[in-house]
Amino acid sequence: MTAFRYLLRAEWTKLRTVPGWVAGIAVAAFLIVGVGLMPGMRGSCGRSACSLPVGPEGQEVTDSFTFLHRTLTGDGSVTVRVASLTGLMAVPEPGQSKPGLEPWAKAGLIVKDGVRPGSTYAAVLLTGGHGTRMQYDYVHDRAGTSGTAAPHWLRLTRTGATVTGEESVDGVAWTRVGTARLPELPSTVEVGLFTTSPQHSETSSETLGLQGAFGGPTQATAVFDHLSSSGNLTADDWTGTTIGALGNASGLEVGGSERTGDGFTVSGSGDIAPAVSGAAGLGVTITQTLVGTFLGLVLVVVVGVSYVTAEYRRGLIRTTLAANPRRGPVLAAKALVVGAVTFVVGLVAAATVVALGTRVLRANGVYVHAVTTATEVRVVAGTAALLAMAAAFAVGLGALIRRGSVAVTTAIVVVVLPYLLAVTVLPTGAARWLLTWTPAAAFALQQSTPEYHQVANLYAPVAGYFPLAPLAGFAVLVGWATVMLGLATLRLRRSAA
Amino acid sequence: MTAAADRGVRAAPVAGRRTAAALRTATHAEWTKLRTTAGPAWLLLATVAVTVGLGVLAAATVTCHTAEACLVDPARTSLTGAQLGQAVVAVLGVAMVGGEYGTGMIHVTLAAVPRRPVLLAAKAAVLTAPVIAVAVVAVAGSLVAGRHYLPALDLGDGAVRRAATGAVLYLTLMALLSLGIATAVRSSAGATGIVLALCYAYPLVVKAVPDRDWQRHLEQAGPTTAGLSVLATTGLRELPIDPWRGLAVLAAWSAAAMLAGGLVLRYRDG
């Protein structure tokens, strides 16, 4: 153990006394911070204009729909038949629209704590293309029967803090879709019919980057009949309210409700779902501030590689090996020292740029999604870990290849270029493949908001959505680094220096 | 006619013949260096592998059966690999001269070929020939593979042929740009850094420029942002610069780099 401590000390001395390497690591940190603070993006959000409601579980949410409701006190139940569900979509020509139902257009029954956007709710609903669903508190989504279409029966029952959703094809035989526990639901709630339809966006995985993302508002119209209810509902008639409408809503964004025949027609636009960033959402995430990471990464792998190859070029490796005849730990010590240094420097740089970069973006009118402290810590520490592990990988590669220029190029091609190509020129499918299998998979550590299957969006690397979970992506890089250091140690042991 | 003028008239062809002979010898020497070291052969193989590989990956993840139903440019998608292949030819271009500065071989080379512009011309010639050859293979391979995944890709189409020719020239010019830069900065690592920054960092930095007009001007001026427009076959109106003019911008960059390299080589000590 003492021997290893001396070895670490020797390697640390080598690293800190070569001005080029110290400068390289310092410039890496500078680039990460500098690029993040560059005033590139401009948005149209004023200081207070863009703010999203926050749901009961702390996420920012979209909560806008047309609500035809009555007040329910205590337990009760509402049953309705969705007779038809149709939709309209915006087309590029202003003021025009074409028929078309968005797959995540929703119509059904909802029970909600008042009419404030962001309040707790549970709903059983029919969608445009995803069958019957039970959704509650914005992020929870349970599928009922798939492939269902209007006409279809729905029932929502409130019993204490529990809300149950049921569906039926004939109004006689009922199946349960799901049950929600809403601890925050007060005894007096609003219950009724709702319709909404999210922003349409071409989220084809076939377009390059975000170039192909285009869209516009959509509107869904549902005809409800056979409405019946039980429980202590207020005596006055059903009231129509547009929840969370934009102040400047126009065209398809304006919904409404009216009594037609023995039922109601409700049309609405918007969504009841977690808010997302990117093509189909609003603004960016804190990941945006870390765009300079790839530049820092280039320098870190150059330092990592030359930390080894310089010894071969100058013949220092013979002295090193004479001092440490047991060759195995030499590379481990190098990887540990350069990894630890880049981790600390990366941590400082990432923390700085996330804190300051978010302010710069907000000052430029760009909406930045709020994240929990835990996520912020993971993104910052993850960026540092990405840099550190890439440095360790570079040490292995340098020791395996031994020639500086070849090793540097290889390291950049396998660590940095997959990410760069993925966020610039590659179609989403190819980008996701590269970011699953190459060491660049570890960029997943920088993802700050989750993907939601119930929100259509372009979940592409360019928008800050990576194919692997953060730790899984990091594990890919750790695997690569381990294999590389293993092979390099093998070569160091077996062959002459 | 005076005697001096008479000598001058006769001396010119002799000097020309001497230059030609020197160039032939230097080219032969450079060719020997290139073919007897393992690195260049591997890099040439890698150029084909990464170009075709990334092209296949891009084409395989896109579906378009008819030209009308295509959201993407099928030729450009098939040739996506050029964006990675350029890094490999750039390394080859840098290695042609950077390696000699690293090992000290440059002293021997300059002793053998004292006329330095001749040396640079010989290096350029020896670099260009194999790069054109592998670029043809890589581009043909990418398009044939692309045709397999994207039936909408019409290999007989004039624009597709222009893109194919352009891609070969693009890779060749990138190699010469790298050779010029490496000769000017006389260090493998420095030159590799500059070329890769031009290839990959420049486009990203330009994308972040807030002013649209400036962004377009910078795209028209960059070697890769302008040069890559030669690969486009659809949506030509949205390009920052039209295809051949874009390639001409890259050619100007390569010429300037070679000139800078030539001047540094001529006027500074080896």
Side-chain angles (χ1 to χ4, degrees):
Chain A
M1 224 45 238
T2 325
F4 193 65
R5 219 168 45 232
Y6 281 127
L7 185 55
L8 281 180
R9 186 160 170 211
E11 291 303 332
W12 164 239
T13 310
K14 282 181 208 164
L15 186 68
R16 77 184 160 80
T17 52
V18 176
W21 296 342
V22 175
I25 292 174
V27 172
F30 177 78
L31 284 174
I32 291 172
V33 176
V35 173
L37 299 185
M38 219 166 51
M41 273 199 158
R42 301 226 160 254
S44 53
C45 286
R47 276 179 199 277
S48 59
C50 302
S51 72
L52 293 169
V54 174
E57 298 189 9
Q59 294 92 352
E60 289 166 303
V61 298
T62 315
D63 196 10
S64 53
F65 58 101
T66 307
F67 192 16
L68 193 64
H69 58 103
R70 289 171 82 177
T71 307
L72 169 71
T73 308
D75 296 345
S77 163
V78 187
T79 307
V80 81
R81 188 178 81 132
V82 183
S84 76
L85 179 59
T86 53
L88 288 174
M89 287 182 180
V91 291
E93 294 78 42
Q96 308 281 310
S97 60
K98 62 170 186 189
L101 186 60
E102 196 54 22
W104 280 110
K106 300 164 182 175
L109 296 165
I110 186 169
V111 51
K112 186 173 169 71
D113 174 12
V115 293
R116 182 181 57 84
S119 67
T120 184
Y121 79 95
V124 62
L125 48 102
L126 192 64
T127 60
H130 297 279
T132 318
R133 324 285 296 196
M134 172 83 184
Q135 297 188 338
Y136 60 100
D137 283 356
Y138 307 93
V139 290
H140 302 282
D141 172 60
R142 191 164 296 136
T145 314
S146 62
T148 48
H152 201 67
W153 292 76
L154 300 171
R155 177 185 288 158
L156 199 63
T157 309
R158 190 242 165 120
T159 319
T162 308
V163 180
T164 310
E166 292 165 284
E167 63 172 321
S168 167
V169 284
D170 51 11
V172 180
W174 290 87
T175 4
R176 198 164 73 174
V177 184
T179 304
R181 267 197 68 77
L182 305 177
E184 286 181 29
L185 198 67
S187 68
T188 300
V189 294
E190 294 301 313
V191 63
L193 310 171
F194 81 98
T195 305
T196 192
S197 183
Q199 186 89 358
H200 173 75
S201 65
E202 286 297 329
T203 58
S204 162
S205 66
E206 303 175 356
T207 44
L208 305 181
L210 287 175
Q211 283 165 6
F214 58 91
T218 67
Q219 189 183 67
T221 302
V223 177
F224 295 97
D225 55 16
H226 296 96
L227 178 62
S228 64
S229 56
S230 68
N232 184 13
L233 280 104
T234 44
D236 40 326
D237 201 9
W238 298 89
T239 318
T241 308
T242 310
I243 309 281
L246 301 166
N248 55 353
S250 61
L252 293 179
E253 290 160 0
V254 182
S257 56
E258 56 177 339
R259 185 180 278 276
T260 45
D262 58 347
F264 295 92
T265 300
V266 182
S267 52
S269 180
D271 206 357
I272 312 175
V276 294
S277 67
L282 169 71
V284 298
T285 64
I286 59 167
T287 307
Q288 180 66 32
T289 61
L290 288 162
V291 286
T293 307
F294 81 94
L295 275 177
L297 200 57
V298 169
L299 282 158
V300 164
V301 299
V302 169
V303 171
V305 164
S306 25
Y307 191 37
V308 182
T309 55
E311 293 216 8
Y312 282 98
R313 203 174 61 209
R314 307 280 177 218
L316 179 64
I317 188 73
R318 291 183 209 107
T319 315
T320 305
L321 293 180
N324 305 279
R326 284 183 59 227
R327 297 180 173 190
V330 170
L331 283 182
K334 276 193 179 293
L336 208 60
V337 167
V338 77
V341 170
T342 42
F343 185 85
V344 172
V345 174
L347 199 63
V348 173
T352 311
V353 77
V354 166
L356 297 181
T358 316
R359 280 190 206 170
V360 170
L361 284 170
R362 289 199 174 124
N364 283 350
V366 177
Y367 186 80
V368 184
H369 282 253
V371 290
T372 59
T373 312
T375 308
E376 200 163 325
V377 167
R378 191 252 297 151
V379 168
V380 167
T383 303
L386 160 67
L387 293 166
M389 200 46 73
F393 173 80
V395 165
L397 199 68
L400 192 64
I401 296 180
R402 295 186 182 181
R403 280 186 50 203
S405 59
V406 181
V408 163
T409 312
T410 312
I412 289 175
V413 166
V414 300
V415 181
V416 186
L417 282 192
Y419 167 80
L420 264 187
L421 294 172
V423 300
T424 50
V425 294
L426 286 180
T428 308
R432 290 177 73 93
W433 190 90
L434 278 182
L435 291 178
T436 304
W437 296 107
T438 64
F443 273 94
L445 285 165
Q446 294 189 333
Q447 180 167 337
S448 55
T449 49
E451 287 185 28
Y452 292 102
H453 68 267
Q454 71 269 38
V455 183
N457 190 9
L458 183 59
Y459 292 113
V462 63
Y465 294 99
F466 294 92
L468 294 181
L471 284 179
F474 186 57
V476 172
L477 176 59
V478 172
W480 275 90
T482 312
V483 168
M484 208 48 76
L485 282 166
L487 289 176
T489 306
L490 218 60
R491 179 165 188 205
L492 189 67
R493 277 198 184 145
R494 295 267 168 90
S495 60
Chain B
M1 203 174 271
T2 64
D6 189 38
R7 270 205 302 282
V9 167
R10 252 187 280 155
V14 172
R17 233 177 291 149
R18 269 195 206 140
T19 306
L23 193 60
R24 210 163 42 239
T25 326
T27 307
H28 186 247
E30 288 302 323
W31 173 243
T32 308
K33 279 189 231 166
L34 186 81
R35 82 186 155 75
T36 54
T37 38
W42 281 111
L43 286 171
L44 290 168
L45 266 180
T47 306
V48 177
V50 300
T51 306
V52 178
L54 191 69
V56 166
L57 186 59
T61 49
V62 168
T63 45
C64 66
H65 296 289
T66 59
E68 293 74 41
C70 245
L71 279 171
V72 298
D73 179 342
R76 190 169 191 162
T77 304
S78 309
L79 293 171
T80 305
Q83 302 245 12
L84 194 53
Q86 65 180 359
V88 187
V89 295
V91 171
L92 180 64
V94 167
M96 284 292 288
V97 55
E100 296 209 12
Y101 281 102
T103 56
M105 175 73 181
I106 191 73
H107 300 298
V108 180
T109 304
L110 288 177
V113 188
R115 295 173 63 190
R116 297 179 176 192
V118 169
L119 174 67
L120 191 58
K123 280 191 181 289
V126 167
L127 175 65
T128 306
V131 167
I132 288 184
V134 297
V136 167
V137 175
V139 167
S142 299
L143 287 175
V144 169
R147 178 85 183 76
H148 175 74
Y149 293 104
L150 309 170
L153 179 61
D154 177 10
L155 298 183
D157 184 53
V160 174
R161 284 188 187 173
R162 186 255 299 140
T165 316
V168 171
L169 293 175
Y170 177 86
L171 289 173
T172 313
L173 288 170
M174 283 308 290
L176 289 173
L177 174 69
S178 314
L179 174 66
I181 291 177
T183 315
V185 304
R186 307 202 280 185
S187 135
S188 291
T192 310
I194 293 172
V195 179
L196 292 185
L198 280 176
C199 285
Y200 301 108
Y202 182 84
L204 276 189
V205 171
V206 168
K207 259 193 190 171
V209 170
D211 187 297
R212 293 269 156 179
D213 287 336
W214 267 102
Q215 194 178 45
R216 201 173 163 81
H217 288 314
L218 289 171
E219 278 177 355
Q220 288 165 345
T224 58
T225 44
L228 284 170
S229 62
V230 84
L231 305 184
T233 58
T234 62
L236 299 183
R237 276 156 185 262
E238 283 128 56
L239 291 175
I241 187 166
D242 54 78
W244 283 124
R245 226 177 270 173
L247 197 69
V249 170
L250 173 60
W253 272 84
S254 304
M258 287 296 286
L259 185 67
L263 290 176
V264 168
L265 194 63
R266 173 78 181 75
Y267 292 108
R268 279 181 60 176
D269 288 338

